[in-house]
Amino acid sequence: MKILALAASSSSTSINKQLATYAAGLVAGAEVEVLDINDYEMPIFSEDKEKELGQPEQAKHFFQKIGEADAVVISYAEHNGSYATAFKNVFDWTSRIDMKVYQGKPVVMLATSPGPGGAATVLAAATGSAPYFAADVKGSLSVPSFYDNFDMENGELRNEALIEELKTIMLAL
């Protein structure tokens, strides 16, 4: 199984990238590719830009990466209660290629933040809209207080309840 793991964040020290990578690694025997959305930077989407530029190669490549995967693990950063702008822009451009961005793939949606909210607001938005974008959501999990629940040195969750919940979700892939 080929799993595409990514953070919906452009931070070079993304805690969401750490969570997505850890989660994908829980699938025994899986080949995991970790995507960095910074590799897909494009002008801010608008209809005018689309008329001017057409479909950027970065958006085509992002769509292709999803298509080549057997499953997708994505962890969302929350900026002011919504998607990080960098991810939203990549997603907006890609959805113009095909609204079925996730192409019917099994998807695990995660989110985390340093605070107790665990980016739950953006995770709810993502899971709520997922069917419109052809995501077969197998499960979702918000990890609150990332630095209290994740062992940075070993790169893994340390909260037993969260570990068990995540393992169960990942088995659905």
Side-chain angles (χ1 to χ4, degrees):
M1 172 180 280
K2 183 176 179 182
I3 299 176
L4 186 66
L6 66 133
S9 167
S10 60
S11 172
S12 63
T13 59
S14 172
I15 58 178
N16 281 283
K17 186 181 233 177
Q18 292 175 60
L19 180 59
T21 302
Y22 167 71
L26 293 174
V27 179
E31 174 190 336
V32 177
E33 179 178 2
V34 180
L35 216 60
D36 185 337
I37 66 165
N38 289 304
D39 295 336
Y40 300 90
E41 192 171 317
M42 295 171 268
I44 302 272
F45 176 80
S46 72
E47 288 183 7
D48 292 338
K49 281 287 182 197
E50 185 180 34
K51 287 175 187 168
E52 175 188 337
L53 302 173
Q55 295 172 335
E57 288 304 312
Q58 297 95 323
K60 292 176 187 176
H61 189 246
F62 185 77
F63 187 75
Q64 179 183 347
K65 284 290 186 184
I66 293 171
E68 292 170 350
D70 296 312
V72 178
V73 175
I74 184 166
S75 188
Y76 294 90
E78 186 172 281
H79 291 193
N80 298 318
S82 193
Y83 298 97
T85 304
F87 174 76
K88 182 73 167 77
N89 194 52
V90 171
F91 193 86
D92 287 347
W93 276 110
T94 304
S95 72
R96 298 298 280 197
I97 294 168
D98 188 334
M99 281 295 291
K100 296 177 179 169
V101 172
Y102 294 106
Q103 303 169 53
K105 304 290 178 172
V107 178
V108 169
M109 293 186 168
L110 309 169
T112 192
S113 70
T121 302
V122 72
L123 183 59
T127 57
S129 67
Y132 299 106
F133 302 106
D136 179 13
V137 179
K138 296 299 183 182
S140 66
L141 177 67
S142 166
V143 175
S145 306
F146 181 80
Y147 295 104
D148 294 338
N149 289 308
F150 196 86
D151 182 336
M152 298 291 287
E153 192 172 307
N154 295 313
E156 61 189 23
L157 282 173
R158 61 173 145 228
N159 178 306
E160 287 300 322
L162 291 171
I163 292 168
E164 289 309 311
E165 189 172 353
L166 184 56
K167 282 182 178 179
T168 300
I169 291 167
M170 297 309 292
L171 282 173
L173 290 179

